[in-house]
Amino acid sequence: MAENVILEIDDKKYNLPLIIGTEGEKGINILKLRDQTGCIAYDPGFGNTASCDSKITYINGENGIMRYHGIPIEQLAEGSDFIEVAYLLIWGKIPTAQERRHFSDLLTDNALIHENLKSHFEGFPSSAHPMAMLSAMINALGCYHHDLGKIEGEDELGPEQQLEVLAARLISKIRTIAAFSYKMSRGEPFIYPDPNLRYVSNFLHMMFSLPHKHYEAMPEVAKALDMILMLHADHEQNCSTTTVRMVASAGANLFSSVSAGVCALWGRLHGGANMAVINMLQQIHDGGLNAKKCIELAKDPKSDFRLMGFGHRVYKNHDPRARILKGACERLFTKLDHKDPLLDIALELEDLALNDSYFIERKLYPNVDFYSGMILRSIGIPTNMFTVMFAIGRLPGWIAHWREVHEAENMKIARPRQIYTGNKELHYVPMAQRQGVSPIESK
Ligand code: SDX
């Protein structure tokens, strides 16, 4: 295999080394491009640019492959759970029974948030979007863990143990913050975490229990939500993870890096799509649109309408997560004998799109957001919290990438270049000299 490529500019040839990934993917190493050629690369949206090398997740968009540290997502979905996958992503290995027990104990011990943090919720209007609250509260949380790792009364922890405490604090407390924001929006009292419940059941308890009525999640419901969190846990250099890595590269702490990731995930083209899918299906159901009209609108270049939950920057084949979630959704609905007309509409839309030349030519398939909202809706999670669920799921991936940036031998602050297309040099004329003269004039 070639070890470099030749670039020719103005009759001059330049040798650029190739970097080859584990699965044979090739990258042209342009670290010295500007020094050697005076040119920079131009790639808005970074569709053709690797911002880093990473060991965490491998995606092959052409073949619909996704693996966490080499393990196919289908196998993890079948036999693992969110906390084991979180551990795998952050520490690069499946935990032993003892390591798993220790990490679970840390999650239990760190489920509460500081009592003073509760008053922060009062500062938000009841209509505040849960993603705005989540981002703000995660940064506020960092103020209560400025030591970011030491446990009061214990010896100084080594970096590995500090990271474990830090990861457990965030993974556990993000759940509490999300549930408390839901309670605040409904004017209901906060329900505290129950140390006897497992991760997802504890979250649903904090969400749906009331002082006079305990909510106990059915095993099928807890498993379906655990599956959603697991499938969302990482996805290599997506927009929000790249945001976390950018902020981390400046030396920012984990809380502020994750808080920035939450903001990026909120975008409707990214994590906000799961909400947009349900709103689109609801619009069809309420008669505002029909499935065929939806498809036509999505194809119309003059319309800014997009078939939400379809298409992907990397997957030009089925998103494996969408396939798994479609099956999980149908199994859960059968088990619960749950009927949702939106699922029938989603299946009709998928069938129409997958048989339409516009979508076929552009390799647009259902992505992770197309079916996830259906499951969340059947559990009773409000639509405006769907992206919060995505954030809870994606948190272990963000932590893993933050760690990878901070532990990189050659950690460099992210600072892209640009192609400037603005004014050429102009001369400024101070006010006193402007008698009918423009304040700036060409030199
Ligand atoms: C996530 O990156 C990740 O890994 C993200 C994610 C993760 O786990 O982190 O997987 C999660 O964000 C999934 C994507 C959720 N977003 C949506 O479902 C929103 C709808 N999808 C699109 O907006 C779009 O497909 C994107 C944003 C997902 C990808 O956009 P790209 O790669 O920039 O593709 P593009 O906009 O250049 O589209 C290429 C063509 C265009 O048509 P032409 O100009 O060639 O004629 O495909 C069309 C687009 O108009 N197109 C769509 C479409 N998606 C792309 N047309 C109609 N409906 C769509 N959904």
Side-chain angles (χ1 to χ4, degrees):
M1 178 181 295
E3 291 184 354
N4 57 28
V5 293
I6 307 288
L7 180 65
E8 183 171 348
I9 304 174
D10 303 335
D11 300 331
K12 204 169 169 210
K13 292 186 189 315
Y14 302 91
N15 254 327
L16 295 175
L18 273 181
I19 182 168
I20 312 290
T22 305
E23 296 295 333
E25 66 278 26
K26 297 187 207 54
I28 301 172
N29 184 330
I30 57 171
L31 270 172
K32 297 198 172 14
L33 178 70
R34 190 166 184 274
D35 295 345
Q36 283 179 314
T37 70
C39 295
I40 57 176
Y42 179 69
D43 186 20
F46 311 122
N48 303 285
T49 300
S51 59
C52 62
D53 50 80
S54 176
K55 299 182 178 0
I56 301 167
T57 294
Y58 171 67
I59 299 173
N60 178 314
E62 283 62 40
N63 302 315
I65 293 171
M66 175 180 157
R67 302 178 196 143
Y68 289 154
H69 281 288
I71 305 176
I73 191 65
E74 294 81 359
Q75 293 175 24
L76 292 167
E78 185 66 35
S80 185
D81 66 23
F82 175 57
I83 296 307
E84 183 175 72
V85 161
Y87 194 98
L88 167 65
L89 287 169
I90 299 168
W91 284 282
K93 66 185 183 85
I94 295 288
T96 61
Q98 191 189 350
E99 288 164 334
R100 167 71 193 249
R101 204 166 30 255
H102 177 61
F103 192 59
S104 293
D105 290 347
L106 279 175
L107 290 169
T108 303
D109 295 345
N110 283 281
L112 287 168
I113 59 175
H114 195 290
E115 283 292 298
N116 292 358
L117 264 174
K118 285 170 35 182
S119 59
H120 287 241
F121 287 100
E122 289 151 25
F124 294 107
S126 57
S127 58
H129 196 289
M131 286 295 274
M133 288 196 269
L134 187 65
S135 176
M137 292 303 287
I138 285 174
N139 239 334
L141 189 61
C143 301
Y144 288 82
H145 301 285
H146 49 84
D147 58 357
L148 298 185
K150 293 187 205 63
I151 303 177
E152 285 68 30
E154 294 211 9
D155 294 343
E156 188 75 21
L157 296 172
E160 205 46 45
Q161 292 159 302
Q162 281 217 24
L163 177 72
E164 198 175 16
V165 170
L166 194 56
R169 278 182 177 173
L170 249 180
I171 292 171
S172 192
K173 294 178 194 295
I174 192 172
R175 233 187 345 179
T176 311
I177 290 170
F180 280 17
S181 67
Y182 174 66
K183 287 302 197 187
M184 186 283 282
S185 72
R186 294 171 60 87
E188 293 172 0
F190 293 147
I191 297 294
Y192 280 60
D194 176 343
N196 302 309
L197 294 176
R198 294 171 63 97
Y199 189 85
V200 165
S201 300
N202 211 350
F203 168 71
L204 293 171
H205 155 66
M206 290 190 274
M207 282 281 288
F208 299 129
S209 287
L210 290 164
H212 63 289
K213 198 163 81 181
H214 180 73
Y215 170 89
E216 186 167 342
M218 291 172 65
E220 298 81 5
V221 167
K223 171 112 183 85
L225 183 52
D226 188 276
M227 163 92 75
I228 285 188
L229 298 180
M230 183 195 322
L231 293 175
H232 283 79
D234 190 54
H235 211 237
E236 54 134 281
Q237 305 308 318
N238 59 84
C239 179
S240 53
T241 300
T242 296
T243 302
V244 171
R245 289 185 75 109
M246 292 271 276
V247 174
S249 74
N253 71 54
L254 179 59
F255 293 85
S256 45
S257 303
V258 165
S259 176
V262 170
C263 295
L265 186 70
W266 191 3
R268 67 186 293 274
L269 294 184
H270 188 14
N274 53 18
M275 286 167 41
V277 168
I278 293 296
N279 294 337
M280 173 182 73
L281 296 174
Q282 192 66 53
Q283 214 185 340
I284 296 172
H285 178 261
D286 297 345
L289 267 176
N290 64 48
K292 285 194 172 54
K293 177 71 182 151
C294 230
I295 295 292
E296 290 318 310
L297 269 175
K299 293 161 57 176
D300 179 355
K302 289 190 289 300
S303 147
D304 60 3
F305 181 88
R306 289 214 152 174
L307 191 60
M308 301 313 279
F310 255 75
H312 199 278
R313 173 64 58 80
V314 174
Y315 288 120
K316 301 309 170 193
N317 195 323
H318 282 266
D319 179 335
R321 302 167 297 174
R323 276 201 165 122
I324 296 168
L325 282 171
K326 180 180 177 182
C329 183
E330 290 171 328
R331 282 194 302 279
L332 179 67
F333 281 27
T334 306
K335 196 91 181 171
L336 301 182
D337 191 22
H338 177 78
K339 296 273 181 287
D340 185 343
L342 300 195
L343 178 59
D344 300 333
I345 296 170
L347 293 169
E348 182 189 2
L349 269 179
E350 180 183 10
D351 186 53
L352 287 171
L354 292 183
N355 291 290
D356 183 291
S357 58
Y358 172 93
F359 291 87
I360 295 168
E361 283 155 19
R362 291 166 180 77
K363 299 180 180 176
L364 303 176
Y365 293 90
N367 60 49
V368 68
D369 292 305
F370 195 62
Y371 286 104
S372 56
M374 216 69 68
I375 296 175
L376 295 173
R377 186 176 137 92
S378 72
I379 293 173
I381 308 277
T383 306
N384 73 348
M385 279 196 69
F386 285 4
T387 313
V388 169
M389 302 316 298
F390 193 146
I392 294 174
R394 186 52 51 93
L395 179 57
W398 286 338
I399 294 171
H401 285 272
W402 179 84
R403 174 187 191 185
E404 202 169 56
V405 169
H406 273 255
E407 293 184 354
E409 278 155 32
N410 56 351
M411 183 174 109
K412 289 170 76 81
I413 186 168
R415 205 285 183 209
R417 294 275 183 156
Q418 64 167 18
I419 296 290
Y420 173 69
T421 55
N423 291 330
K424 290 187 77 63
E425 185 176 1
L426 297 170
H427 176 68
Y428 171 66
V429 179
M431 178 73 86
Q433 297 166 28
R434 272 185 247 149
Q435 305 307 328
V437 174
S438 153
I440 49 175
E441 57 189 13
S442 303
K443 269 195 81 127

